[in-house]
Amino acid sequence: MATHTIRVEPIGAEIQCRDDQTVLDACLREGIWLPHACTHGTCGTCKAQILDGEVDLGDASPYALLDSEREEGAALICVAQPRGDVVVEGEVDVDEGVGVHPVRDFTGRVEALDEIAPDVRRLVLALDRPMEFNPGQYVLLEVPGGHQRPYSIASTPADGKVIELHLKRSENGKATDGWVFSTLAVGDEVALSGPYGRFSFRPLRTQPILLLGSGTGLAPLKSMVQHIAENGGGHEVTLYHGVATKDDLYDQEFFEDLAQQHDWFTYRPALSREEWQGRSGRVPALLAEDYPRAGGHVAYICGSPAMVEDTMKALMKARLFPRDIYREDFFDSADRAAGANVVRSPLIRR
C-alpha cells in the first residue's frame, strides 16, 4: 500500500498517510487535533483547504461540500484520501485544559448487552488496554461487512479499560438491526478505534452548566456528569433529557439518585408525546420556560440534528452566545442519505 506525506499548515507538521486512509485519521493518530464531528462526510465540521497535491474527495455530502468549494480546493478530510503528497491547511487549536489523545485501535470484549429502553441497548466493552479520552468523545465500531459507526462513550476516563455505549436501533441499520440487535452476544470480540470528536467537557470553564440531550444523546452527557461527580463536583449542572414516552426514558433512577446525593446537580427529564407525573414537552420549549435569560452559562447539546438546531435557537434567544455553546449532532443513515442539509454558524463550538 502506497503512503504519502501530508504537511499540515500552519504548524508545518509532516505525517504519513496511506492511500486507503483518510487525511483526518492520519492526523488524529499522530496527535494533530483538527476539527471533526460526524467522520463520514455529512456535517462539514472538518472542511479544510488543500493547498497542494490531490485527494480523492470520497463520499462527501454535496450539501456539506458545495461544488464551488470543491473547485476552490476545499475537502472534507474525514473522507478525503491522498493521491500523492498533500499540503492541507486546517484549524489546529485545542482549548486550554482539554487533553489531546491520539486515536488508537482497540479490541473490546462484550461484557454486557442489555435492553434499557425500546430499541436501545447498553453495550459494555472490556478493552484490551485502557483508552484515554475526554468526557463527551466517541469511538468508531468496526461493523461486520467493512462498515464503521460512531457511538459516544457514556462512561468516564477513570476506568478507561471498560467503556459504555448506548445504541439506538435504526431500521435496516447495518450496525443495529444487522448486528447489535441480532447476532452480537456477550463474550464476542469487537474492533474499535478512538477517541474522536471535539465535543467534550471543558473543565476550566467555571460557569453553571446546561446539559441538553434527547434520546441516546444522553450518552456523552452522562459521561460528563459522572466525571464531574468523580472529581468532587465544582460545577453547577442541570441535565435535561428529552424522550418521546415514559418507556423511552432510561437511567432515570441513576440520575435521580445522583441529584439526591449532590446539591450541584439537577435532573430534568421530559416526555414529548405523553403526559406523566413529570414535565411534558420538547427540551427546547422547556428550556425557554426555565431560562428566559441563559447568559452566564455554558451549554452542551447532543441529539438529533432537528433537536440540536431548535435548542440552539432557544439558547441564543435567551442571550447565550455561540462561544458558550458546544454541540454534537447524531446523524443516522437517513440524515446522511438526505444530505443533512443543516446550516451552522462557524462560531459554534463542537
Side-chain angles (χ1 to χ4, degrees), residues 178-229:
W179 182 43
V180 174
F181 286 73
S182 57
T183 62
L184 188 65
V186 171
D188 287 355
E189 287 194 348
V190 176
L192 65 150
S193 61
Y196 296 92
R198 294 183 69 199
F199 180 78
S200 65
F201 176 57
R202 268 59 177 182
L204 298 187
R205 305 206 64 173
T206 58
Q207 305 100 312
I209 296 170
L210 294 172
L211 301 180
L212 306 145
S214 65
T216 53
L218 178 68
L221 308 183
K222 181 181 180 182
S223 177
M224 294 180 193
V225 171
Q226 291 184 105
H227 177 77
I228 292 170

Coordinates of all heavy atoms in Angstrom, one line a residue, residues 178-229:
G178 N -28.7 -5.2 11.8 CA -27.9 -6.3 11.2 C -26.8 -6.9 12.1 O -26.2 -7.8 11.7
W179 N -26.7 -6.4 13.3 CA -25.6 -6.9 14.2 C -25.9 -6.8 15.7 O -26.2 -7.8 16.3 CB -24.3 -6.1 13.8 CG -23.1 -6.5 14.6 CD1 -22.7 -7.8 14.8 CD2 -22.1 -5.6 15.2 NE1 -21.5 -7.8 15.5 CE2 -21.1 -6.5 15.8 CE3 -22.0 -4.3 15.2 CZ2 -20.0 -6.0 16.4 CZ3 -20.9 -3.7 15.9 CH2 -19.9 -4.6 16.5
V180 N -25.9 -5.6 16.2 CA -26.1 -5.4 17.7 C -27.4 -6.0 18.2 O -27.5 -6.6 19.2 CB -26.0 -3.9 18.1 CG1 -26.3 -3.7 19.6 CG2 -24.6 -3.4 17.7
F181 N -28.5 -5.8 17.4 CA -29.8 -6.2 17.9 C -30.2 -7.6 17.3 O -31.3 -8.1 17.5 CB -30.9 -5.2 17.4 CG -30.9 -4.0 18.3 CD1 -29.9 -3.0 18.1 CD2 -31.9 -3.7 19.2 CE1 -29.9 -1.8 18.8 CE2 -31.9 -2.6 20.0 CZ -30.9 -1.6 19.8
S182 N -29.2 -8.3 16.7 CA -29.5 -9.6 16.1 C -28.5 -10.6 16.5 O -28.8 -11.6 17.2 CB -29.6 -9.5 14.6 OG -28.4 -9.0 14.0
T183 N -27.2 -10.5 16.2 CA -26.2 -11.6 16.4 C -25.2 -11.3 17.5 O -24.6 -12.2 18.0 CB -25.5 -11.9 15.1 OG1 -24.8 -10.7 14.6 CG2 -26.5 -12.3 14.0
L184 N -24.9 -10.0 17.8 CA -23.9 -9.7 18.8 C -24.3 -10.3 20.2 O -25.5 -10.2 20.6 CB -23.7 -8.2 18.9 CG -22.5 -7.7 19.8 CD1 -21.2 -8.2 19.2 CD2 -22.6 -6.2 20.0
A185 N -23.3 -10.9 20.9 CA -23.6 -11.5 22.1 C -22.5 -11.3 23.1 O -21.4 -10.9 22.8 CB -23.8 -13.0 21.9
V186 N -22.8 -11.5 24.4 CA -21.8 -11.4 25.5 C -20.7 -12.3 25.2 O -20.9 -13.5 24.8 CB -22.5 -11.6 26.8 CG1 -21.4 -11.7 27.9 CG2 -23.5 -10.6 27.2
G187 N -19.5 -11.9 25.3 CA -18.3 -12.7 25.0 C -17.7 -12.4 23.7 O -16.5 -12.8 23.4
D188 N -18.4 -11.8 22.8 CA -17.9 -11.6 21.4 C -16.8 -10.5 21.5 O -16.8 -9.6 22.3 CB -19.0 -11.1 20.5 CG -20.0 -12.2 20.1 OD1 -19.7 -13.4 20.4 OD2 -21.0 -11.9 19.4
E189 N -15.9 -10.6 20.5 CA -14.9 -9.5 20.4 C -15.3 -8.5 19.3 O -16.0 -8.8 18.3 CB -13.6 -10.1 20.0 CG -12.9 -10.9 21.1 CD -11.4 -11.2 20.8 OE1 -11.0 -11.0 19.6 OE2 -10.7 -11.6 21.7
V190 N -15.0 -7.2 19.6 CA -15.4 -6.1 18.8 C -14.2 -5.2 18.5 O -13.5 -4.9 19.5 CB -16.5 -5.2 19.4 CG1 -16.8 -4.0 18.6 CG2 -17.8 -6.1 19.7
A191 N -13.9 -4.9 17.3 CA -12.8 -4.0 17.0 C -13.3 -2.6 17.0 O -14.5 -2.3 16.5 CB -12.2 -4.3 15.6
L192 N -12.5 -1.6 17.5 CA -12.9 -0.2 17.5 C -11.7 0.6 17.5 O -10.6 0.2 17.8 CB -13.8 0.0 18.7 CG -13.2 -0.1 20.1 CD1 -13.8 0.8 21.1 CD2 -13.3 -1.6 20.6
S193 N -11.9 1.9 17.3 CA -10.9 2.9 17.4 C -11.4 4.2 18.1 O -12.6 4.4 18.1 CB -10.3 3.3 16.0 OG -11.3 3.8 15.2
G194 N -10.5 5.0 18.6 CA -10.9 6.2 19.3 C -9.7 6.7 20.1 O -8.6 6.2 20.2
P195 N -9.9 7.9 20.8 CA -11.2 8.6 20.8 C -11.3 9.7 19.7 O -10.3 10.1 19.2 CB -11.1 9.3 22.1 CG -9.7 9.7 22.3 CD -9.0 8.5 21.7
Y196 N -12.5 10.0 19.3 CA -12.8 11.0 18.3 C -13.6 12.1 18.9 O -14.4 12.0 19.9 CB -13.5 10.4 17.1 CG -12.7 9.4 16.3 CD1 -12.9 8.0 16.7 CD2 -11.9 9.7 15.3 CE1 -12.2 7.1 15.9 CE2 -11.2 8.8 14.6 CZ -11.4 7.4 14.9 OH -10.7 6.5 14.2
G197 N -13.6 13.3 18.2 CA -14.6 14.4 18.5 C -14.0 15.5 19.4 O -13.3 15.2 20.3
R198 N -14.5 16.7 19.0 CA -14.1 17.9 19.9 C -15.2 18.2 20.8 O -15.1 19.2 21.6 CB -13.8 19.0 19.0 CG -12.5 18.9 18.1 CD -12.2 20.1 17.3 NE -11.8 21.2 18.2 CZ -11.8 22.5 17.8 NH1 -12.2 22.8 16.6 NH2 -11.4 23.4 18.7
F199 N -16.3 17.5 20.8 CA -17.4 17.7 21.7 C -17.0 17.0 23.0 O -17.1 15.8 23.1 CB -18.7 17.1 21.2 CG -19.9 17.3 22.1 CD1 -20.6 18.5 22.2 CD2 -20.4 16.2 22.9 CE1 -21.7 18.6 23.0 CE2 -21.4 16.3 23.7 CZ -22.1 17.6 23.8
S200 N -16.5 17.8 24.0 CA -16.1 17.2 25.2 C -16.2 18.3 26.3 O -16.2 19.5 26.1 CB -14.7 16.7 25.1 OG -13.7 17.7 24.9
F201 N -16.1 17.8 27.5 CA -16.2 18.7 28.7 C -15.0 19.6 28.8 O -13.9 19.2 28.6 CB -16.3 17.8 30.0 CG -16.3 18.5 31.3 CD1 -17.2 19.5 31.5 CD2 -15.3 18.2 32.2 CE1 -17.2 20.2 32.7 CE2 -15.3 18.9 33.4 CZ -16.3 19.9 33.7
R202 N -15.3 20.9 29.1 CA -14.2 21.9 29.2 C -14.1 22.2 30.7 O -14.8 22.9 31.3 CB -14.6 23.2 28.5 CG -14.1 23.3 27.1 CD -14.5 22.2 26.2 NE -14.1 22.5 24.8 CZ -14.3 21.7 23.8 NH1 -15.1 20.6 23.9 NH2 -13.8 22.0 22.6
P203 N -13.1 21.5 31.4 CA -13.1 21.6 32.9 C -12.7 23.0 33.4 O -13.0 23.3 34.6 CB -12.0 20.6 33.2 CG -11.1 20.5 32.0 CD -12.1 20.6 30.8
L204 N -12.1 23.8 32.6 CA -11.6 25.1 33.1 C -12.7 26.2 33.0 O -12.6 27.3 33.5 CB -10.4 25.6 32.3 CG -9.2 24.7 32.5 CD1 -7.9 25.4 31.8 CD2 -8.9 24.4 34.0
R205 N -13.9 25.8 32.4 CA -15.0 26.8 32.3 C -15.8 26.6 33.6 O -16.4 25.5 33.8 CB -15.8 26.5 31.0 CG -15.0 26.6 29.8 CD -15.8 27.0 28.6 NE -16.3 28.3 28.7 CZ -16.9 29.0 27.7 NH1 -17.1 28.4 26.6 NH2 -17.4 30.2 27.9
T206 N -15.9 27.6 34.4 CA -16.5 27.5 35.7 C -18.0 27.9 35.7 O -18.6 27.8 36.8 CB -15.7 28.4 36.7 OG1 -15.7 29.8 36.2 CG2 -14.3 27.9 36.8
Q207 N -18.5 28.4 34.6 CA -19.9 28.8 34.6 C -20.9 27.6 34.9 O -20.5 26.5 34.7 CB -20.3 29.4 33.3 CG -19.4 30.6 32.8 CD -18.4 30.1 31.8 OE1 -17.7 29.1 32.0 NE2 -18.3 30.8 30.7
P208 N -22.1 27.9 35.4 CA -23.1 26.8 35.5 C -23.3 26.2 34.2 O -23.3 26.8 33.1 CB -24.3 27.6 36.0 CG -23.8 28.8 36.6 CD -22.6 29.2 35.9
I209 N -23.5 24.9 34.2 CA -23.6 24.0 33.0 C -25.0 23.6 32.7 O -25.7 23.1 33.6 CB -22.7 22.8 33.2 CG1 -21.2 23.2 33.3 CG2 -22.8 21.8 32.0 CD1 -20.3 22.1 33.7
L210 N -25.4 23.7 31.4 CA -26.6 23.2 30.9 C -26.3 22.0 30.0 O -25.6 22.2 29.0 CB -27.5 24.2 30.2 CG -28.0 25.4 31.0 CD1 -28.6 26.5 30.0 CD2 -29.0 24.9 32.0
L211 N -26.7 20.8 30.4 CA -26.6 19.6 29.5 C -27.9 19.3 28.9 O -28.9 19.1 29.7 CB -26.1 18.4 30.4 CG -24.8 18.6 31.1 CD1 -24.4 17.3 31.9 CD2 -23.6 19.0 30.1
L212 N -28.0 19.3 27.6 CA -29.3 19.2 26.9 C -29.3 18.1 25.9 O -28.6 18.2 24.9 CB -29.6 20.5 26.2 CG -29.5 21.8 27.2 CD1 -29.0 23.0 26.5 CD2 -30.9 22.0 27.7
G213 N -30.0 17.0 26.2 CA -29.9 15.8 25.3 C -31.2 15.2 25.0 O -32.2 15.4 25.7
S214 N -31.3 14.5 23.9 CA -32.5 13.8 23.5 C -32.1 12.4 23.1 O -31.1 12.2 22.6 CB -33.3 14.5 22.4 OG -32.5 14.4 21.2
G215 N -33.0 11.4 23.5 CA -32.7 10.0 23.2 C -31.3 9.6 23.7 O -30.9 9.8 24.8
T216 N -30.6 8.9 22.8 CA -29.3 8.4 23.2 C -28.2 9.5 23.2 O -27.0 9.2 23.4 CB -28.8 7.2 22.3 OG1 -28.9 7.6 20.9 CG2 -29.7 6.0 22.6
G217 N -28.7 10.7 22.8 CA -27.8 11.9 23.0 C -27.4 12.0 24.5 O -26.6 12.9 24.8
L218 N -28.1 11.3 25.4 CA -27.7 11.3 26.8 C -26.3 10.7 27.0 O -25.7 11.1 28.0 CB -28.8 10.4 27.5 CG -28.5 10.3 29.1 CD1 -28.8 11.6 29.8 CD2 -29.5 9.2 29.6
A219 N -25.8 9.8 26.2 CA -24.6 9.1 26.5 C -23.4 10.0 26.8 O -22.8 9.9 27.9 CB -24.3 8.2 25.3
P220 N -23.0 11.0 26.0 CA -21.9 11.8 26.3 C -22.1 12.7 27.5 O -21.2 13.1 28.2 CB -21.6 12.6 25.0 CG -22.9 12.7 24.3 CD -23.6 11.3 24.6
L221 N -23.4 13.1 27.7 CA -23.7 14.0 28.8 C -23.6 13.2 30.1 O -23.2 13.7 31.2 CB -25.1 14.5 28.7 CG -25.4 15.2 27.3 CD1 -26.8 15.8 27.3 CD2 -24.4 16.3 27.0
K222 N -24.0 11.9 30.1 CA -23.8 11.1 31.3 C -22.3 10.9 31.6 O -22.0 11.0 32.8 CB -24.4 9.7 31.0 CG -24.3 8.7 32.2 CD -24.8 7.3 31.9 CE -24.7 6.4 33.1 NZ -25.2 5.0 32.8
S223 N -21.5 10.8 30.6 CA -20.0 10.8 30.9 C -19.6 12.0 31.6 O -18.8 12.0 32.5 CB -19.3 10.6 29.5 OG -17.9 10.6 29.7
M224 N -20.1 13.2 31.1 CA -19.7 14.5 31.7 C -20.1 14.5 33.2 O -19.3 14.9 34.1 CB -20.2 15.6 30.9 CG -19.7 15.7 29.5 SD -20.4 17.2 28.6 CE -19.9 16.8 27.0
V225 N -21.4 14.2 33.4 CA -21.9 14.3 34.8 C -21.1 13.4 35.8 O -20.8 13.8 36.9 CB -23.4 13.9 34.8 CG1 -23.9 13.8 36.3 CG2 -24.2 15.0 34.1
Q226 N -20.9 12.1 35.3 CA -20.2 11.2 36.2 C -18.8 11.7 36.4 O -18.2 11.6 37.5 CB -20.1 9.8 35.6 CG -21.5 9.1 35.5 CD -21.3 7.7 34.9 OE1 -21.4 6.7 35.7 NE2 -21.2 7.6 33.6
H227 N -18.1 12.2 35.4 CA -16.8 12.7 35.5 C -16.7 13.9 36.6 O -15.8 13.9 37.4 CB -16.2 13.2 34.2 CG -14.9 13.8 34.2 ND1 -13.7 13.0 34.3 CD2 -14.5 15.1 34.2 CE1 -12.7 13.8 34.3 NE2 -13.1 15.1 34.3
I228 N -17.7 14.8 36.5 CA -17.7 15.9 37.5 C -17.9 15.3 38.9 O -17.3 15.8 39.8 CB -18.9 16.9 37.1 CG1 -18.5 17.6 35.8 CG2 -19.1 17.9 38.2 CD1 -19.7 18.4 35.2
A229 N -18.8 14.3 39.0 CA -19.1 13.8 40.3 C -17.8 13.1 40.9 O -17.5 13.2 42.1 CB -20.2 12.8 40.3

